[in-house]
């Protein structure tokens, strides 16, 4: 991170400099650290400029000019999501900054960093990557501005964009630049996006198998076109057989190459076993809050075949699960026991979903993911191997490592998958739940769960019944931590009240309620912007005003006295005043009404 550290290694210059919006923590959960360690293992000299003050040009000069390229990333989160709440207020805390201090990364950080790098070193190649670049690689709806924005590559003075998990692409770009290639001629790497002049693109792509998406101008003006484009994009996110996508922009043509193939297990193992210190960089005096939940956790796999509408994992990590070997995970766990502040507890084992480890579909190897149906919606596909045996073996073997006292599952469990193998659920209830198990039914109205591509309520009820019976058998008092969402497309007042009644009747009240926030490249965001379900083409109800979204959220927080005004307004509008007791001074009560008077 400094010239002094370069000289301590005997380096006068660097090959690659990573500019990131996160503080530098040397842990595989931080993208800049993971890519930096991999490049270092391949013999490249790597530096990191973390959270530079973007209005100070000298910040971008402190490590000099790299021999090969700059890599710019907003960090582990999209900068607009990181900087603003769902109600578009500036966040008071940034988990990826020292001491949680907000304001350490600029809005639209990837564009800002690219501009500053280009101003400082006009001839230096620039590659942009990370979640922000990946999910804004084509024209996308931007919640903060309320409009469709151009591809981030059209706005940033960068040469290449890496989308998805970027190890393979970054390594190949580095090798080819080291061999003397011009970055402007590197246009064939899967998992990358490049741009080309409007006048010459058809000649450049002549003979290639590509799909021309509707232009930025068209999708920014026509919501139906935006929805069609989204479905087209979804269908081509298939490693191995996805096609090139081309989207015309006013001054440039954006070309997305097909997704890169998943890392082989051996390579994935190698990436996670690089010599990370799992510590913040010594330059920081304050702690980085984001490290604490993951410091002593193990990432078992990538990808998620759940494909929930509100989640962007399908477009970043992919819908196919890519798992590490048990032996690799055991080696990593043993390394944790040697850390001086390890207390004996591994506090997380999993990935985007804890119990998808080692699962795969019989079609993936030859055909990739299905483009016309979902793996888990409306029910678990019979082609999907839902065997939890390898997962169970891993948990058992982790427990046997000297120095390990407890192995907990703090990542969310997909309950429809857990239902397919009760012995897995019994095992984790017995040993691996620390009082509460996290699950995400998200909603209890079928209309809404259908728009989310989530299981129906009856599936959740079966899981609750099984979970309760198992804990009763074990003599344990353990609970479910249920995550819910308000304001999702497809949800109106009727559906929110239905969910609130269900929560009341089943004693499932939870403070864990997320207000739906449109984020780039999710199906739900497409629905929010267009009012169209991109998979069915049907119109869908959407709450878009801040007041409507706030009212929906308050309905699920019905115990909070501060919400009475909004709740009463909602009940009046929905003609559900039967849920109010005999007085406006309401308290939570039993099934005779959601709210009843103090006197009664």
């Amino acid at each position: 991170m400094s010239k002094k550290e370069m000289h301590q290694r005997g380096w006068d210059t660097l090959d690659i400099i990573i500019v990131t919006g996160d503080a530098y923590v040397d842990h595989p959960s931080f993208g800049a650290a993971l890519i930096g360690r991999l490049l270092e293992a391949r013999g490249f000299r790597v530096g990191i400029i973390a959270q530079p003050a973007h209005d100070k040009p000298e910040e971008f000069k402190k490590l000099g000019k790299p021999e090969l390229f700059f890599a710019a990333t907003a960090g582990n989160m999209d900068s607009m999501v990181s900087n603003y709440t769902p109600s578009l207020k500036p966040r008071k805390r940034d988990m990826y900054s020292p001491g949680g201090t907000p304001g350490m990364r600029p809005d639209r950080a990837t564009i800002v960093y690219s501009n500053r790098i280009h101003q400082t070193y006009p001839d230096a190649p620039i590659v942009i990557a990370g979640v922000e670049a990946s999910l804004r690689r084509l024209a996308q709806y931007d919640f903060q501005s309320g409009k469709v924005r151009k591809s981030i590559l059209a706005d940033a003075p960068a040469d290449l964009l890496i989308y998805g998990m970027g190890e393979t692409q970054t390594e190949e770009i580095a090798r080819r630049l080291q061999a003397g290639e011009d970055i402007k001629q590197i246009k064939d790497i899967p998992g990358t996006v490049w741009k080309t002049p409007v006048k010459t693109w058809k000649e450049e792509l002549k003979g290639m198998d590509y799909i021309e998406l509707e232009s930025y101008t068209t999708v920014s003006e026509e919501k139906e076109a935006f929805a069609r484009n989204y479905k087209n994009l979804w269908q081509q996110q298939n490693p191995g057989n996805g096609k090139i996508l081309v989207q015309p922009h006013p001054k440039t043509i954006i070309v997305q190459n097909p997704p890169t193939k998943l890392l082989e297990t051996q390579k994935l193992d190698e990436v996670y076993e690089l010599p990370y210190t799992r510590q913040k960089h010594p330059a920081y005096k304050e702690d980085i809050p984001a490290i604490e939940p993951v410091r002593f956790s193990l990432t078992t796999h990538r990808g998620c075949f759940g494909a929930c509408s509100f989640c962007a994992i399908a477009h970043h990590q992919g819908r196919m699960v890519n798992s590490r070997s048990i032996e690799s995970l055991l080696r990593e766990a043993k390394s944790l026991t040697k850390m001086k502040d390890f207390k004996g507890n591994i506090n997380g084992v999993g990935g985007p979903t804890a119990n998808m480890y080692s699962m795969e579909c019989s079609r993936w190897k030859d055909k990739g993911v299905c483009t016309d149906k979902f793996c888990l919606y409306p029910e678990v596909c019979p082609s999907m191997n839902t065997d939890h045996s390898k997962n169970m073996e891993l948990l058992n073997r982790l427990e046997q490592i000297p120095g390990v006292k407890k192995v907990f599952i703090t990542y969310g469990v997909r309950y429809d998958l857990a239902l397919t193998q009760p012995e897995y659920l019994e095992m984790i209830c017995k040993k691996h739940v620390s009082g509460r198990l996290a699950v995400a039914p998200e909603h209890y109205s079928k209309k809404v769960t259908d728009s989310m591509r989530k299981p129906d309520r009856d599936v959740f009820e079966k899981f609750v019944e099984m979970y309760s019976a198992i804990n009763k058998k074990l003599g344990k008092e353990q609970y479910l931590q249920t995550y819910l969402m308000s304001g999702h497309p497809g949800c109106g007042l009727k559906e929110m009240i239905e969910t609130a009644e269900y929560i009341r009747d089943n004693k499932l009240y939870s403070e864990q309620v997320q207000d739906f926030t449109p984020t780039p490249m999710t199906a739900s965001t497409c629905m929010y912007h267009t009012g169209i379900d991109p998979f069915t083409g049907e119109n869908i109800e959407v709450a878009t005003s801040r007041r409507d979204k706030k009212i929906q959220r308050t309905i699920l927080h019905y115990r909070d006295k501060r919400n009475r005004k909004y709740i009463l307004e909602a009940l009046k509008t929905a003609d559900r005043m039967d849920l109010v007791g005999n007085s406006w001074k309401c308290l939570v009560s039993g099934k005779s009404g959601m709210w009843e008077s103090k006197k009664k």
Side-chain angles (χ1 to χ4, degrees):
M1 284 182 68
S2 67
K3 286 275 188 177
K4 179 181 178 181
E5 290 177 332
M6 287 171 57
H7 296 153
Q8 286 172 348
R9 290 190 170 211
W11 297 349
D12 293 322
T13 60
L14 297 170
D15 296 310
I16 298 144
I17 296 175
I18 300 170
V19 181
T20 175
D22 292 338
Y24 176 32
V25 177
D26 192 30
H27 188 284
S29 292
F30 288 69
L34 186 147
I35 293 295
R37 284 291 186 190
L38 178 63
L39 290 169
E40 178 190 48
R42 296 293 181 264
F44 295 100
R45 298 165 297 173
V46 185
I48 290 182
I49 300 175
Q51 298 188 315
H54 61 279
D55 56 345
K56 297 180 179 178
E58 62 271 20
E59 291 272 295
F60 297 84
K61 295 180 179 179
K62 65 181 182 181
L63 296 181
K65 180 183 175 183
E67 298 290 333
L68 299 179
F69 66 94
F70 277 99
T73 172
N76 275 14
M77 292 179 65
D78 184 282
S79 62
M80 302 306 286
V81 177
S82 177
N83 290 352
Y84 296 94
T85 68
S87 57
L88 299 179
K89 295 178 181 178
R91 292 194 189 273
K92 297 179 180 179
R93 187 169 170 80
D94 185 337
M95 299 294 284
Y96 291 91
S97 296
T101 305
M104 299 293 286
R105 83 187 76 224
D107 291 352
R108 312 196 188 284
T110 305
I111 296 174
V112 172
Y113 293 156
S114 299
N115 277 322
R116 295 297 178 269
I117 293 166
H118 185 65
Q119 290 166 4
T120 308
Y121 299 106
D123 58 340
I126 303 172
V127 177
I128 56 177
V131 170
E132 181 168 272
S134 181
L135 300 180
R136 294 181 182 270
R137 58 189 184 263
L138 296 170
Q140 86 286 161
Y141 175 74
D142 180 69
F143 176 57
Q144 287 74 22
S145 63
K147 64 182 182 181
V148 177
R149 287 183 64 94
K150 292 179 284 187
S151 161
I152 197 170
L153 192 58
D155 284 334
D159 299 288
L160 274 178
L161 181 155
I162 292 172
Y163 72 92
M165 308 304 282
E167 295 93 350
T168 302
Q169 304 96 300
T170 309
E171 194 175 333
E172 184 170 352
I173 291 168
R175 290 289 184 209
R176 289 170 67 168
L177 290 178
Q178 188 180 51
E181 287 192 51
D182 182 345
I183 195 167
K184 298 190 183 303
Q185 302 305 315
I186 299 177
K187 299 180 177 182
D188 59 341
I189 300 176
T192 62
V193 181
W194 47 282
K195 53 191 174 186
T196 191
V198 174
K199 293 182 180 180
T200 60
W201 76 269
K202 289 189 177 181
E203 184 63 29
E204 198 164 358
L205 291 171
K206 190 174 182 179
M208 296 186 185
D209 189 10
Y210 66 86
I211 295 174
E212 183 178 350
L213 299 173
E214 296 187 68
S215 70
Y216 162 76
T217 302
T218 301
V219 299
S220 63
E221 295 173 353
E222 300 176 17
K223 293 183 177 181
E224 294 82 0
F226 188 99
R228 288 194 300 270
N229 254 18
Y230 182 86
K231 185 176 182 180
N232 228 338
L233 174 64
W234 171 270
Q235 291 176 333
Q236 299 307 317
Q237 295 311 297
N238 204 348
N241 57 25
K243 294 183 179 179
I244 295 171
L245 297 179
V246 178
Q247 187 171 54
H249 280 59
K251 296 181 180 180
T252 190
I253 304 297
I254 302 299
V255 183
Q256 175 186 297
N257 289 335
T260 189
K261 291 184 178 180
L262 302 183
L263 292 181
E264 297 290 337
T265 296
Q266 183 179 356
K267 179 70 175 288
L268 191 62
D269 288 347
E270 179 195 1
V271 166
Y272 281 93
E273 289 189 71
L274 292 168
Y276 307 98
T277 65
R278 292 180 174 261
Q279 305 287 343
K280 65 184 180 183
H281 189 275
Y284 299 115
K285 295 180 180 179
E286 296 180 287
D287 289 335
I288 317 298
I291 185 60
E292 294 311 316
V294 298
R295 187 194 302 277
F296 301 118
S297 67
L298 301 175
T299 299
T300 59
H301 63 281
R302 292 176 174 176
C304 177
F305 50 84
C308 301
S309 299
F310 50 80
C311 181
I313 288 176
H315 289 291
H316 188 64
Q317 293 192 17
R319 290 170 60 197
M320 293 192 289
V321 169
N322 187 18
S323 298
R324 294 172 61 187
S325 70
I326 289 180
E327 296 304 323
S328 171
L329 288 158
L330 294 177
R331 288 192 295 269
E332 186 179 358
K334 288 174 183 175
S335 72
L336 297 183
T337 66
K338 298 175 183 177
M339 296 178 65
K340 64 179 182 180
D341 48 353
F342 181 68
K343 305 299 183 184
N345 294 335
I346 295 176
N347 56 21
V349 178
T353 301
N355 57 329
M356 283 188 184
Y357 174 65
S358 80
M359 291 185 181
E360 59 184 8
C361 174
S362 57
R363 295 172 48 95
W364 286 352
K365 188 174 182 180
D366 298 324
K367 300 180 180 179
V369 292
C370 298
T371 58
D372 58 346
K373 60 182 179 180
F374 298 87
C375 301
L376 298 180
Y377 172 83
E379 57 190 14
V380 179
C381 177
S383 297
M384 180 60 63
N385 173 16
T386 60
D387 184 13
H388 290 68
S389 298
K390 199 168 180 181
N391 197 329
M392 295 165 70
E393 179 189 350
L394 170 63
L395 294 172
N396 275 326
R397 293 182 67 181
L398 287 171
E399 275 192 317
Q400 296 167 18
I401 295 174
V404 173
K405 298 176 183 177
K406 293 284 186 180
V407 179
F408 292 119
I409 294 177
T410 52
Y411 295 89
V413 167
R414 185 81 190 205
Y415 55 84
D416 47 355
L417 288 177
L419 279 172
T420 67
Q421 199 158 353
E423 55 267 39
Y424 166 77
L425 187 56
E426 181 167 348
M427 176 183 171
I428 64 172
C429 286
K430 187 176 181 179
K431 299 180 179 181
H432 307 293
V433 176
S434 58
R436 291 182 181 273
L437 179 65
V439 293
E442 303 294 358
H443 217 279
Y444 300 119
S445 166
K446 178 172 170 50
K447 178 183 172 185
V448 183
T449 53
D450 280 346
S451 69
M452 292 176 167
R453 271 66 192 181
K454 292 283 287 186
D456 288 348
R457 187 168 75 193
D458 61 339
V459 178
F460 177 69
E461 289 172 342
K462 290 175 184 175
F463 176 79
V464 172
E465 183 179 348
M466 182 183 290
Y467 183 76
S468 300
I470 287 172
N471 279 300
K472 184 177 181 180
K473 172 185 171 183
L474 296 172
K476 286 180 170 281
E477 189 172 337
Q478 297 187 133
Y479 304 93
L480 290 175
Q481 184 166 323
T482 54
Y483 291 89
L484 299 173
M485 185 178 293
S486 64
H488 188 274
C491 183
L493 288 179
K494 176 183 175 183
E495 289 71 35
M496 289 308 300
I497 293 169
E498 176 188 349
T499 288
E501 287 186 279
Y502 184 82
I503 290 169
R504 175 205 63 194
D505 294 344
N506 292 276
K507 298 182 174 63
L508 292 171
Y509 189 87
S510 172
E511 295 296 335
Q512 302 294 335
V513 177
Q514 177 185 351
D515 185 10
F516 168 70
T517 304
T519 54
M521 209 171 275
T522 70
S524 298
T525 298
C526 177
M527 296 179 206
Y528 178 90
H529 169 56
T530 65
I532 300 169
D533 185 323
F535 300 116
T536 65
E538 297 174 357
N539 292 333
I540 191 166
E541 182 177 6
V542 181
T544 55
S545 76
R546 291 190 192 181
R547 186 171 185 82
D548 287 346
K549 287 170 67 65
K550 184 171 184 177
I551 287 174
Q552 286 206 20
R553 185 185 178 101
T554 60
I555 290 173
L556 294 189
H557 283 158
Y558 58 79
R559 287 184 181 174
D560 190 334
K561 296 177 182 179
R562 295 170 297 179
N563 293 334
R564 290 175 182 167
K565 172 185 173 183
Y566 299 102
I567 293 169
L568 288 168
E569 179 183 335
L571 295 177
K572 279 183 180 179
T573 303
D575 195 22
R576 289 302 311 273
M577 293 299 286
D578 58 296
L579 293 174
V580 179
N582 299 329
S583 167
W584 294 109
K585 295 179 180 179
C586 305
L587 291 173
V588 178
S589 186
K591 295 185 179 181
S592 57
M594 192 173 295
W595 297 273
E596 291 191 344
S597 70
K598 278 185 176 179
K599 288 182 180 180
K600 186 174 179 181

